[in-house]
Each structure stands twice: as C-alpha cells, then as structure tokens.
Amino acid sequence: MSDLNFWIINTAHYLFYLQIIHTMYNLNLSECVKTRHKYFFKILSDNRKKIILFGASLAILLYNDRKLFDQHFVVILIAYFIMKYEKLEKSTINYGVGMACSFYEGYLAQIIPSNGADFIGFEENIRNYENCQGGVVFPVKKLFIVITKSLYCPPDLKEFNKKDPSLPYLEACQSLGDVQKDQAGVKNRIYRNSAYKIHRAGTDPVYLAVECATPLHTLHKVLKNRTIYEELGSINAEEVVSDFCETLGTIIRKTPECRGKCELVYYDDEDPNQNLAEILLDRIETLRNLRL
C-alpha cells in the first residue's frame, strides 16, 4: 500500500468513527420518539455536508475491503465522551453562575438598594405601600424569590394553590410602587414587584413580596425547546439550579446593599403534598423568630 493510500484509508476510517460518535452524542431520543420520521428528516436537512462526508468515508472503506469497526472505535468513543463531559461540566457551572450574576446586576441591584436620589429602596417601597393601603403590614420586608423544582414559573402564583379550601392559599394584591430607571439605552425603564397575601382560616392574611426567579423561567422554556437550543440539549438542569442558587446567595450575602433583603425559597412543585403558601408562612415565622 502506498503512503497516499494509507493516509486516505485511515483518514476515512477515523472520519467514519467520528461521524457515528458525534451523531450518538447529539441524538435527542425523546424528540426522536415523539416526532419519529420528522426528526430524522430534520437531521438529514441540517447535516447534508456531514452525511456526504460520512457516505464518502464509508465508500472508501468498502471499496478497499476494510473492516468497518475495530478496537480503535472503542478508544475514540471513550476519548470523545471524556472530552465532551469536561466541556459540559464547565459549561453547566458557567451557565448557572452566569444566570445568577445577570439576575443580580440586571434586576436585584436595580430594585433593592436606594440610589440616593429618586428611588428610596425596596424596604422603604414596602413601607410606602403599607401607608397607602391602610391596615396592611408586611411582617418581613424582604423579597422572597421562589425556586421551583420543575423550573416552571406561572404568571400568577395562585396556580400553586391547593384545591383544599382549608389550606393556606396565595392571592395577588396591587403591586408595589414602580421603580423607573434609565438602563442600557432604555429611557424610563419600569421595574415592578408583586405583593401577595396568604389567606389562613380563622385569622388575618399575611402580606409579602414574592416572585419566581425569572432566569429559571427562561431556562425552563429553553429546555422545552431543545431542538432549537441544541448546544444546551444535554445540560443538567439540577446542577444549573444548584449553581444559580449557591452563587446568587453568595452575591447577596457579600453585597451590603442587598444583604438580608432577599430570601431564596425552594419549592418542590412536583410533590403534591407541598403547599407553597405554607412553605412561605413557615419561612416568615422563622425569620420573625430570628429577630426576637
């Protein structure tokens, strides 16, 4: 065999291996089962050049009567997945950390601290709300940020209420006062926080400022459209959420302007025995006891 033939055949062999392994790695089994032939047609239309290259490599191997698979395939398969795992692990960590940093700088840092001028700060915003509403008292003047297990964030938190009328339940109230700022070229940008009250049988409702974490809501939408966001198709959502919560909690604790003014609340919305209203009431009670 000439040197040229040697290089052509071996290059074709490794290209053949890599194309198979790459397809295995990126194959979305759930989408394949759901859409069947449509998914394969999409793969064909999106990867025409790769399919041509695969076909050419296969033709070269068959023409030269070469064995398609040997021990080198397993070695390359292991090496490929080791490299991909390292890349995925880094991107997962960076994604959760990046979301937390963006959420803090782009949102919390705009609504929590006073800017010393036209915005008085989140706590004072709650006090103004109490004065305007009359008879309304927030026992804890913090922003409660709900982290759901499923990442789903409903338009209204009442969706998390249980059907049993005897259990505590959430009801949206009039929003807190708007925060208006010039940001990133947007003049008079509006930030708004929702107030809720938790109804309990036989006693007055409890008021609080609560909302879901919007970056996780975005992640939920991304993961529902994995075919569009192929780069994030294999992302580990639990690791991202863990990194997001850990990083955001650290940022809040390190920042004097926001320290002690936000409270992260985890809620397993997939557990039918858990009630968000009760979880929030328990957290409020815990925080009140800590102040005593």
Side-chain angles (χ1 to χ4, degrees), residues 93-113:
I93 293 173
N94 289 339
Y95 193 63
V97 171
M99 287 198 310
C101 294
S102 176
F103 184 56
Y104 177 78
E105 292 295 343
Y107 180 61
L108 295 181
Q110 309 304 321
I111 64 165
I112 300 297

Side-chain angles (χ1 to χ4, degrees), residues 103 108 111-112 122-123 140-148 208-213 244-245 248-249 252-253 258-267 276 279-288 290-291:
F103 184 56
L108 295 181
I111 64 165
I112 300 297
F122 187 75
E123 290 180 333
V140 175
K141 294 175 174 57
K142 290 187 175 189
L143 176 62
F144 290 83
I145 302 170
V146 176
I147 312 295
T148 60
L208 74 162
V210 58
E211 59 192 52
C212 290
F244 173 82
C245 294
L248 183 60
I252 291 171
R253 287 192 299 272
C258 292
R259 187 184 302 130
K261 298 176 182 177
C262 299
E263 192 72 17
L264 302 183
V265 179
Y266 181 77
Y267 167 53
L276 178 59
I279 292 172
L280 290 169
L281 285 173
D282 289 343
R283 182 64 64 87
I284 289 172
E285 187 63 27
T286 299
L287 293 171
R288 293 181 67 181
L290 288 175
R291 295 188 307 189

Side-chain angles (χ1 to χ4, degrees), residues 8 17 32 55-56 84 93 97 103 106 116 130 133 176 198 229:
I8 290 175
Y17 290 160
C32 175
K84 286 293 183 179
I93 293 173
V97 171
F103 184 56
E130 291 174 330
Q133 295 298 316
L176 300 182
I198 302 177
Y229 308 103

